[in-house]
């Protein structure tokens, strides 16, 4: 009898975490490494949010809480959905977990039966397919192509839906491409879903507030009120509020789904950290001014990275609407040999040689389901980004 479960054998560890760890190890060993793998802002958590966490500790708010969130946080989340998205939810429709990751996982575990299909536009956040597999479902990827800014079309969605489709996971602005769907593009997708009432939508809005150049964020339940009863709108404080380590994510949706998610959480982790929940109340209710200044830095960095990568031989890099990632295409770099003698036939070999020969750590495109590309997280200092892009340019110039 095998000791490890068959389910576990179907999933792989997160490649983004693996790249971050590898870069950390090389750095600790004294190598000159620039990590562009981590999916988290380099900015510190704002002071007023930290202060709320400290206050929670001092006031003894350090005990178990309600399994899926304290009432104050659920109220703050309802106010956020009304304020930002025009969506009406009551606290009974809200679930809070240890990060957006746990929210998504709870929802999949709570709803998937063996063989249920989940449509995932590729390139996708690395965890979606593996979470679906862990929950017993079948991930079905549809490719958003470079010439369509990595976004899927209504026709592709229509073609992917079968009687077994349970969910579409929608993510805009996207990890790994930063691409954001306009209202018109999203409406074309929701029109398809309106014709298939058995399909639910899990909208991962984690990068909502990281939207640039006037891009207007939109979410499915807002664009198509007819989907409200079968949409789980997921969000969190990790990215926009620079709170990745605090581990708070949340979602709102139909009560029967929220209750099922609570059941999963009650028998696995119980409540998310009490201190972090009080800090998240302050994040949602307090001043958001820092988001504007953080976004100015992100836009400046994005523009520099896009310009420098497009100047690298063999690379094509679109300018995305949001998040803090770019997803350059490296078709022009394949079937060549690097200055260090490595054969580059795919994006994993490109990323490995780049790390070994220049010390720049990026995540290869195959991890996100669309090749040949790599993902750059530009949530790091301007100086480090400039140096990293110069090294990438030199690496590409050395390919022959
Ligand atoms: C698209 C997307 N969804 C969800 C998450 C999970 O965020 P959290 O840190 O809140 O678990 C991430 C984090 O990288 C992400 O990129």
């Amino acid at each position: 009898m095998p000791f490890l479960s068959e389910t576990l054998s179907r999933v792989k560890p997160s490649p983004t975490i693996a790249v971050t760890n590898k870069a950390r190890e090389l750095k600790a060993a004294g190598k000159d490494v620039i990590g562009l793998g981590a999916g988290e802002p380099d900015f510190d958590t704002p002071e007023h949010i930290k202060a709320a966490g400290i206050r929670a500790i001092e006031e003894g708010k350090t005990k178990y809480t309600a399994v899926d969130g304290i009432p104050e946080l659920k109220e703050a989340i309802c106010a956020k959905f009304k304020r930002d998205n025009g969506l009406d939810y009551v606290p009974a429709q809200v679930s809070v977990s240890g990060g957006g990751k746990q929210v998504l996982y709870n929802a999949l575990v709570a709803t998937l039966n063996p063989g249920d299909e989940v449509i995932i536009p590729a390139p996708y956040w690395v965890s979606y397919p593996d979470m679906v597999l862990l929950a017993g479902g079948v991930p079905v990827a549809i490719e958003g192509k470079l010439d369509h800014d990595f976004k899927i079309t209504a026709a592709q969605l229509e073609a992917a839906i079968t009687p077994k489709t349970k969910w579409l996971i929608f993510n805009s602005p996207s990890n790994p491409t930063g691409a954001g769907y306009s209202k018109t593009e999203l409406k074309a997708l929701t029109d398809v879903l309106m014709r298939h009432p058995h399909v639910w939508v899990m909208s991962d809005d984690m990068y909502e507030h990281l939207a640039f150049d006037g891009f207007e964020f939109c979410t499915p339940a807002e664009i198509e009120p007819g989907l409200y009863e079968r949409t789980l709108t997921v969000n969190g404080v990790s990215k926009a509020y620079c709170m990745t380590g605090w581990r708070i994510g949340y979602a709102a949706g139909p009560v029967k789904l929220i209750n099922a998610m609570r059941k999963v959480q009650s028998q696995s982790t119980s409540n998310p950290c009490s201190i972090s929940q009080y800090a998240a109340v302050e994040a949602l209710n307090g001043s958001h001014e820092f988001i504007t200044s953080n976004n100015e830095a992100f836009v400046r960095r994005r523009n520099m990275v896009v310009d420098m990568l497009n100047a690298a031989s063999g690379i094509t890099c679109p300018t995305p609407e949001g998040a803090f990632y770019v997803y350059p295409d490296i078709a022009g770099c394949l079937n060549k040999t690097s200055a260090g003698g490595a054969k580059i036939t795919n994006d994993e070999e490109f990323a490995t040689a780049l790390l070994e020969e220049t010390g720049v750590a990026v995540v290869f495109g195959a991890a996100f389901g669309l090749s040949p590309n790599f993902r750059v997280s530009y949530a790091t200092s301007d100086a480090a980004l400039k140096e990293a892009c110069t090294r990438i340019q030199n690496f590409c110039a050395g390919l022959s």
Side-chain angles (χ1 to χ4, degrees):
M1 193 212 299
F3 177 60
L4 297 178
S5 78
E6 280 174 26
T7 305
L8 197 64
S9 70
R10 287 197 291 268
V11 309
K12 55 187 183 325
S14 162
T16 42
I17 293 176
V19 168
T20 309
N21 288 346
K22 173 106 196 209
R24 249 186 225 136
E25 272 170 33
L26 289 171
K27 227 177 199 162
K31 293 248 161 65
D32 174 18
V33 170
I34 306 176
L36 304 180
E40 62 180 346
D42 53 324
F43 304 119
D44 200 5
T45 305
E47 290 303 324
H48 64 288
I49 300 175
K50 285 196 223 172
I54 292 166
R55 222 167 27 245
I57 295 174
E58 286 171 351
E59 290 172 0
K61 291 170 172 164
T62 52
K63 305 280 199 277
Y64 289 131
T65 72
V67 165
D68 62 357
I70 55 174
E72 297 92 317
L73 182 51
K74 290 192 172 191
E75 289 289 354
I77 290 165
C78 292
K80 173 258 169 301
F81 278 123
K82 185 71 186 161
R83 177 177 69 234
D84 296 340
N85 315 112
L87 290 171
D88 286 303
Y89 289 111
V90 294
Q93 291 176 283
V94 172
S95 183
V96 185
S97 297
K101 201 172 217 173
Q102 191 183 9
V103 174
L104 296 162
Y105 187 65
N106 283 347
L108 293 168
V109 167
T111 56
L112 292 185
N113 289 309
D116 285 352
E117 294 173 2
V118 179
I119 296 177
I120 305 174
Y124 41 68
W125 179 44
V126 291
S127 295
Y128 296 144
D130 291 288
M131 287 199 284
V132 168
L133 289 168
L134 274 175
V138 179
V140 176
I142 333 176
E143 284 190 2
K145 305 284 187 194
L146 174 68
D147 60 8
H148 204 250
D149 287 332
F150 303 115
K151 294 177 233 180
I152 60 160
T153 63
Q156 283 179 295
L157 177 60
E158 183 85 59
I161 293 174
T162 75
K164 288 185 174 172
T165 307
K166 183 155 275 175
W167 289 100
L168 162 69
I169 300 185
F170 178 74
N171 175 222
S172 164
S174 144
N175 178 1
T177 65
Y181 286 70
S182 69
K183 290 184 180 178
T184 314
E185 287 165 339
L186 179 53
K187 183 69 169 60
L189 299 184
T190 58
D191 284 350
V192 173
L193 295 171
M194 288 306 287
R195 293 197 286 277
H196 299 277
H198 66 291
V199 181
W200 285 56
V201 196
M202 203 175 285
S203 185
D204 180 347
D205 299 350
M206 201 55 73
Y207 296 93
E208 168 178 14
H209 294 297
L210 299 171
F212 315 134
D213 307 333
F215 172 76
E216 283 187 45
F217 171 84
C218 51
T219 191
E222 173 192 19
I223 288 292
E224 177 47 81
L227 287 175
Y228 179 85
E229 287 301 334
R230 49 189 168 106
T231 299
L232 184 69
T233 306
V234 182
N235 214 315
V237 295
S238 293
K239 312 287 177 172
Y241 298 91
C242 314
M243 293 176 70
T244 46
W246 296 75
R247 310 306 304 130
I248 294 292
Y250 57 84
V255 169
K256 72 171 175 190
L257 171 60
I258 296 297
N259 288 349
M261 289 163 63
R262 186 190 314 120
K263 197 166 165 187
V264 175
Q265 190 155 299
S266 74
Q267 296 297 17
S268 48
T269 61
S270 293
N271 62 274
C273 169
S274 61
I275 300 150
S276 300
Q277 290 189 67
Y278 286 97
V281 172
E282 176 60 24
L284 294 178
N285 289 345
S287 167
H288 291 161
E289 270 169 32
F290 63 93
I291 295 181
T292 310
S293 58
N294 288 359
N295 282 358
E296 280 166 14
F298 284 138
V299 169
R300 186 181 65 240
R301 295 166 177 181
R302 179 203 62 181
N303 292 346
M304 177 179 72
V305 169
V306 167
D307 287 349
M308 288 188 76
L309 290 178
N310 277 321
S313 162
I315 291 186
T316 308
C317 184
T319 304
E321 289 84 3
F324 37 66
Y325 308 107
V326 293
Y327 199 64
D329 175 280
I330 57 157
C333 301
L334 298 187
N335 303 318
K336 297 194 170 167
T337 303
S338 72
K343 291 241 174 313
I344 311 292
T345 62
N346 59 40
D347 51 29
E348 185 166 5
E349 288 169 356
F350 179 95
T352 304
L354 185 71
L355 179 57
E356 283 170 2
E357 296 178 28
T358 74
V360 174
V362 297
V363 185
F364 57 93
F368 305 100
L370 191 86
S371 290
N373 295 73
F374 63 87
R375 187 191 77 172
V376 166
S377 164
Y378 55 83
T380 192
S381 76
D382 295 55
L385 286 169
K386 192 168 182 191
E387 172 62 21
C389 290
T390 304
R391 291 188 200 179
I392 293 172
Q393 286 177 345
N394 292 339
F395 178 80
C396 290
L399 294 173
S400 57

